[in-house]
Amino acid sequence: MPVNIDQQINHKIHAEQINILHGSTPVLLAINLMVGLALSYGFSDTVPLLSIGIFLGLLLLMVIIRAGIFVKYRGQFSPQNLRPFKLSLILGGASAGIIWGTMGILYFPMENEIYQTFLLMSLFAMAGGSAVIYSHYLPGYFAYIPMTLIPITIQFFIIGDKFHITLGIVSILFLLVLSSFNIRLNRNFKTTLALRFENLALIEQLKEQKTEAERANRAKSKFLAAASHDLRQPLYSLSLFTSVLDESTQDPKTRKIVEQINLSMVALRSLFDALLDISKLDAGAVDAQQVSFPLQPLFEKLANAFDMQASEQGLVIEWPQRTYQITSEASLLEQILRNYLENAIRYTESGKITVKCEAKDAMITISVSDTGIGIPQEELQNIFTEFHQVGNAQRDRKKGLGLGLAIVDRTARLLGHDVTVASDIGVGSTFSVSIQQRESDIDSPLTTAKQVVAVADSASSLLIAVVDDEESIREGMLQLLQIWKYEVVVADSAAALMVQLEQITRKPDVLITDFRLANDLTGIDVVTGLKAKYQQDIPTLIVTGDTDKKRIEQMNTGHWQVLHKPVPAAKLRSFLRSIQAAI
C-alpha cells in the first residue's frame, strides 16, 4: 500500500483512539465520583475528616474542570485538530491519577493493616476498571494508572516490614502485569482499526474505480453513438448512389464493379449494425418487454430466412417438431437464434444443422448444433468477447466480424436467460439458450412455407416526401425513387417541404424523413406538421443513425417505422411496397 495511504490510515487510527477515550470522559468522571464517595464513606471511621475533605474537594474540582472541558469541546472533535483533545486526556488522566494516589496517602491507616490491604485492593480495582477504557490510548493510560498506585507502593516500602514489603511487591507486579496486558490490548485494538480503515480505503478505491469505469463506458457509448451517426450519413449516401447505379447500368464490367461495391457495402452495414446493437445494449437503450408467446411462429420465421441460405451451401437445417410456450422478448430472442444460425452456416462446410427445443426442470432450452469445424476448449471462454474469432487471424470479412456472440451474451443477460456452448474439434458445436417455462407446452408441426406478397413494379402513383438535411442523401433518394417510378419531392426541412407541397397542391402518400434535422428539429416535427396540415396520419418511415437512449425512446413513441442507417435498398423498397399494397 502506498506510503501516503499508510500515513493517512495511521492518522485515522490515532484520531479514533483519542475520539473513543474522549467520548468515554463522562463515564470515567461518574465512576471516579461514585467510587470516591463510596470509599470515603467506608473509611470515615478510621480516616480524619480533614483528609476526607481534602480528597473529596480535589476530586470534585477535577470532575468539574474535566466536565467543563468536555462540554466545551463536545461535538467539535476534528481529526485535523487533535491537540486540545490530547492535552485534555493526558492532563486529565494525570490529575485523576495524582488525586487517587493522594488518597493512598491521606486514607492510609498506619495502625490498621486490614484497612491498608482494603485500601490497596480498592486502588487495584479502580486502576483495573479504568485501564480497560484507557487501553485505547496509551499516553492517557500511563498518565493515570502509575500515578494511582506509586504513592501507596512507596508508603509500603517506607514502612519496611515483611508484610508491607510484600504488599509493595504485589503492587509493582500488578502494575507491570496490568501495563503489559493493556499494551497488548492496545496493539490488537490498533490492528483492528487498521484493518477497518484499510477495508474502507479499498472500498473507496473500488467505488472510484467503478465510477471511473462507468464514466468510461458512458463516454465510449456516447462516442460510439456520435461516430455511428456521423459515419452512417456518408455511408447511407453511398448506398443510395450504389443502388441507383445497380438499377441503371447494364454493362457487364460495370455491374461486376457494382457487385464488389455492394459486397463492401454489406460488410460495412453489418459492422455498423453490430456496433449499433452493442452500443444500445451497453447504453441500456434496449427495453426488454417480456411476454408469453409460442415458439412455433418464431421457428417458421427463421426457417423462411435460413433454409434457402443453408441449401445453397449444401446444408440441411432440421427444425424441432415440438415447440413450447415461453416468456421472453420475441425480437431479442430471435436475434440470439439468428446469430447462432449464422455462425453455424458460416463454419459448417458439410453435413447438417439441428435446431432442438427441449423442456427440462421448468426450463426450455433451444439449441443450435452443427457439424462444423468446432472450437478448441481453451477458446470457449473467449468467444463471447468483442472481435474475438477462432481461426480468423487475417480478419477475413467472409468469416464474420466477431461481434455476433458478444451481442448474444449481452442480450441474454438483459433477458435473464442462460447461454452455453459445447464443442469438439472436427465434430461440431452446440450453442444453447435456456428460458424459464411459464406456460404448458404446445405440440404443433413446423411448417416452413413462405408467403410473399407480390407487388407490381410498374409505375406507381405514390407521392413520396423526403426530408433530410444532407444534400447527398436527398439527391441519392431522389434518383433511386425515380428509378422505381415513384413521384418524389425532397426538402431539407419541414418548412421547405410545406412550400413545395403548396406549389404542387397535393398531399404526400408516404413520408421518409431523417430523425435529426438542422436547428434542433426532428423528423417527429415533420410528422406533426404534416398531420396538422392535412388532419390525418401519413405513413412514415424515420431513418436515423442515433443510438442515444432518449432519442431512441422518443422515436418509438409513434405509429411509424424506424430504420437505422444505412438503410438497404431492399428494406426501403419493401417498406414502400407494403404501403402500396395497403392503398
Side-chain angles (χ1 to χ4, degrees), residues 5 12-13 23 25 28 52 73 159 171 216 226 251 256 297 302 322 341 415 431 445 449-450 482 512 533 546:
I5 295 181
K12 288 180 179 179
I13 292 172
T25 298
L28 289 171
I52 292 176
Y73 288 100
I159 295 174
S171 179
D251 179 65
K256 187 174 182 180
L302 292 172
R322 182 183 180 88
L341 289 163
L415 294 172
F431 287 87
K450 301 178 182 179
Q482 286 178 340
I512 301 175
K533 179 178 177 62
D546 280 293

Side-chain angles (χ1 to χ4, degrees), residues 252-306:
K253 291 184 178 180
T254 305
R255 290 196 62 82
K256 187 174 182 180
I257 295 173
V258 173
E259 288 175 3
Q260 293 300 316
I261 295 175
N262 280 329
L263 288 175
S264 298
M265 287 294 301
V266 169
L268 275 174
R269 190 181 301 120
S270 299
L271 177 59
F272 272 117
D273 289 343
L275 289 174
L276 173 65
D277 289 337
I278 285 184
S279 176
K280 288 192 294 184
L281 289 166
D282 285 345
V286 179
D287 186 17
Q289 299 290 338
Q290 300 196 43
V291 296
S292 180
F293 64 93
L295 281 169
Q296 181 70 21
L298 175 57
F299 286 132
E300 291 177 359
K301 184 177 181 181
L302 292 172
N304 286 331
F306 287 98

Side-chain angles (χ1 to χ4, degrees), residues 523-538:
I524 297 176
D525 297 319
V526 182
V527 175
T528 304
L530 287 179
K531 183 175 181 179
K533 179 178 177 62
Y534 297 106
Q535 297 300 307
Q536 66 181 88
D537 290 323
I538 295 176

Side-chain angles (χ1 to χ4, degrees), residues 163-179:
F163 175 75
H164 289 93
I165 289 175
T166 301
L167 290 179
I169 293 172
V170 169
S171 179
I172 292 174
L173 290 175
F174 177 81
L175 178 61
L176 292 175
V177 171
L178 185 64
S179 297

Side-chain angles (χ1 to χ4, degrees), residues 19 29 99 101 107 188 197 227 291 355 400 416 454 490:
N19 187 34
L29 295 179
I99 291 171
Y107 285 24
N188 292 337
F197 288 125
V291 296
V355 181
V490 297

Side-chain angles (χ1 to χ4, degrees), residues 8 40 57 66 93 131 147 176 213 215 249 282 318 410 429 473 494 498:
Q8 292 174 9
S40 296
R66 292 190 65 186
M147 299 302 296
L176 292 175
R215 187 201 65 78
T249 184
D282 285 345
E318 293 184 356
R410 285 167 167 80
S429 304
I473 292 178
M498 294 299 183

